[in-house]
Amino acid sequence: MSVVASNPKTKMQPRVLVVDDDHYTRTLIDRLIGKTAEVSLASDGAEARKLFAEVDFNLVLMDQRLPADNGIELLREFRARRPKLVGILMTGFADVRDAVAAVREGVFDYLTKPFEDLESLEAVIGKALELDSAYREIDGLRARLDAGDATVAVIGQSPAMERVLGQIRQVAGLDTTVLLEGESGTGKELAARMIHALSTRATKPFLEVNCGGLAETLLEGLLFGHEKGAFTGAGQANAGYFEKAHGGNLFLDEIADMSPKLQSNLLRVLQDHSFTRIGSTEPRKADFRLICATNRPLLAEVKAGRFREDLYYRIAVVSVTMPPLRERTGDIVPLATHFLDFYNAKFGKTCGPLTPAALQALESCRWKGNVRQLQHCIERAVALHTGGPIDTLHMLPGGEPSIRTEFAGATAATTALAYQDARGDFERDYFRRLLATAGGNVSEAARLSGIPRQNLYVRMKRWGIVTE
Ligand SMILES: Nc1ncnc2c1ncn2[C@@H]1O[C@H](COP(=O)(O)OP(=O)(O)OP(=O)(O)O)[C@@H](O)[C@H]1O
Ligand SMILES: [Mg+2]
């Protein structure tokens, strides 16, 4: 993994501080990432403090034992000044308990020295930088949100999402009908709100109605409005959404569920923006821009004879497809971090950060329910957790079956959390070495280690050591 590739937002190279009294370690890391990162080296606490005061580092790699300092305390000192500082602790085997405690209080990860596997060292550094860039993106968003920019809560830094956001920005200012397509939970409603917020109609109403959620007559009444006495119970006249959305945007969600009769009524309205309330013959005009959404591809509905072709071409003047989350895995960490912040604030908690294993599990999940499912997953983890880092296990209880199945391979549910925490990285290294010793044979590895085969298998799968 290239360090820069994992940090696509930053045109500048990420700035990394390496604090270690051991010349060999400093040089090794410098050589490993020096081409893709701007590395500063410090051999003791005093040097590190001086550099930290001058440079806004994206990542600090800290040795645990320094000549006059304790690395954990120094990281704590740095994090007191920059709470979202991403730090990695480097430690000898003997100090693992302290390292685990450090991870509990928010250090991203700990690595045991000497480094045997440079590839995984680089991967951990890449992940840490990814987290830093997610933090920075979210802080930037929050600043803009505080400044009153309502459009920025849409997170997406993957190329697929950048493209879609570009399309949205482009069409928002045009007064044309927009069709938003995409699987459930991909953010269609959010996109509709973003279009509204960026449009010239932003100060006028944004009205939404779910066409799948209402019976035909209710939906008709809601859209067209009615006159007094138009039907039993119509005690007074009521303006419909066409009228109420005047000057603004009208969002018709789940448009594919609209009945054939209403489809043809809507088509007529769209032709000249005129309509009559139910129980009236007086034509009325309303100036609204229509945004529609569907999670079933609408053209397929047309082909199947369930949706009017002429209406389709009216509403699909511009169509934007929200990509499923599994096709933009680069958005998972920023989204998860965003939701973590959100639910911490909502529940008054201080859970987090997400451990590397948790991030890895989140990134490998297929997310059939897309962003909504990810959001629920983090909400549940924060709701059930008392505080501190969130590991894979915290996202399991009560999880939706699909997530549970996917995470099942990522963790042995019978394993106690403390054990999970304590093993972390060197469990991965141990399994890797074990499998190599066993000549790649999992049964043999199980025999050698004394761990039941199935148990060993799921753990190896979790670390990506075996793939199927
Ligand atoms: N890019 C994003 N950034 C932040 N939050 C997002 C993003 N995309 C979706 N969400 C959040 O995920 C949840 C689901 O999004 P939304 O309701 O817009 O999906 P949808 O495509 O309309 O789904 P459905 O088809 O099921 O109605 C919402 O809470 C939304 O705020
Ligand atoms: Mg929706």
Side-chain angles (χ1 to χ4, degrees), residues 207-347:
L207 290 181
E208 66 170 299
V209 53
N210 185 335
C211 303
L214 292 172
E216 184 185 77
T217 48
L218 288 177
L219 181 58
E220 186 180 16
L222 192 77
L223 291 174
F224 287 79
H226 59 79
E227 292 299 344
K228 187 175 172 181
F231 45 82
T232 327
Q236 51 189 353
N238 214 343
Y241 273 24
F242 292 147
E243 282 171 77
K244 288 184 180 160
H246 185 70
N249 287 291
L250 176 61
F251 176 43
L252 296 184
D253 205 355
E254 309 300 354
I255 185 83
D257 291 338
M258 193 175 254
S259 71
K261 178 185 160 209
L262 279 185
Q263 287 180 34
S264 71
N265 290 353
L266 176 62
L267 181 66
R268 238 171 288 133
V269 175
L270 293 181
Q271 270 152 6
D272 59 359
H273 276 244
S274 80
F275 61 94
T276 54
R277 287 183 182 178
I278 298 170
S280 161
T281 50
E282 182 199 338
R284 293 170 184 269
K285 282 217 169 254
D287 164 35
F288 58 85
R289 186 256 293 267
L290 192 66
I291 305 171
C292 298
T294 171
N295 53 27
R296 277 182 275 151
L298 207 51
L299 201 52
E301 294 295 301
V302 171
K303 295 216 170 94
R306 288 188 292 264
F307 201 82
R308 291 182 70 115
E309 189 171 15
D310 41 11
L311 180 59
Y312 172 79
Y313 286 110
R314 272 262 163 207
I315 62 179
V317 179
V318 177
S319 84
V320 176
T321 304
M322 306 301 292
L325 192 52
R326 63 183 167 280
E327 284 174 18
R328 44 177 165 123
T329 44
D331 290 338
I332 292 176
V333 172
L335 279 167
T337 316
H338 166 68
F339 292 136
L340 182 60
D341 276 4
F342 179 84
Y343 288 109
N344 268 330
K346 183 169 172 188
F347 301 141

Side-chain angles (χ1 to χ4, degrees), residues 346-379:
K346 183 169 172 188
F347 301 141
K349 290 196 175 181
T350 50
C351 299
L354 290 148
T355 65
L359 290 176
Q360 196 177 326
L362 289 172
E363 278 186 324
S364 60
C365 202
R366 282 188 60 73
W367 301 115
K368 291 202 185 81
N370 295 295
V371 183
R372 181 180 294 113
Q373 190 183 15
L374 173 62
Q375 180 175 355
H376 288 163
C377 175
I378 302 292
E379 178 182 11

Side-chain angles (χ1 to χ4, degrees), residues 43-56:
S43 58
D44 59 29
E47 262 183 292
R49 283 191 186 89
K50 189 161 174 292
L51 283 164
F52 190 76
E54 289 164 2
V55 183
D56 177 22

Side-chain angles (χ1 to χ4, degrees), residues 148-229:
D149 185 348
T151 64
V152 292
V154 183
I155 291 176
Q157 57 179 18
S158 62
M161 228 11 222
E162 290 271 3
R163 235 182 349 262
V164 165
L165 293 178
Q167 287 176 331
I168 289 175
R169 279 187 206 103
Q170 226 175 355
V171 303
L174 311 172
D175 224 19
T176 172
T177 305
V178 185
L179 175 65
L180 297 164
E181 294 191 292
E183 290 176 17
S184 185
T186 47
K188 297 183 294 297
E189 184 178 333
L190 203 60
R193 291 180 185 279
M194 182 176 173
I195 290 174
H196 173 70
L198 289 174
S199 73
T200 53
R201 298 168 174 267
T203 56
K204 297 283 165 45
F206 173 83
L207 290 181
E208 66 170 299
V209 53
N210 185 335
C211 303
L214 292 172
E216 184 185 77
T217 48
L218 288 177
L219 181 58
E220 186 180 16
L222 192 77
L223 291 174
F224 287 79
H226 59 79
E227 292 299 344
K228 187 175 172 181

Side-chain angles (χ1 to χ4, degrees), residues 104 344 349-352 381-382 384-390 394:
R104 283 233 171 84
N344 268 330
K349 290 196 175 181
T350 50
C351 299
V382 177
L384 298 178
H385 195 31
T386 44
I390 295 188
H394 299 118

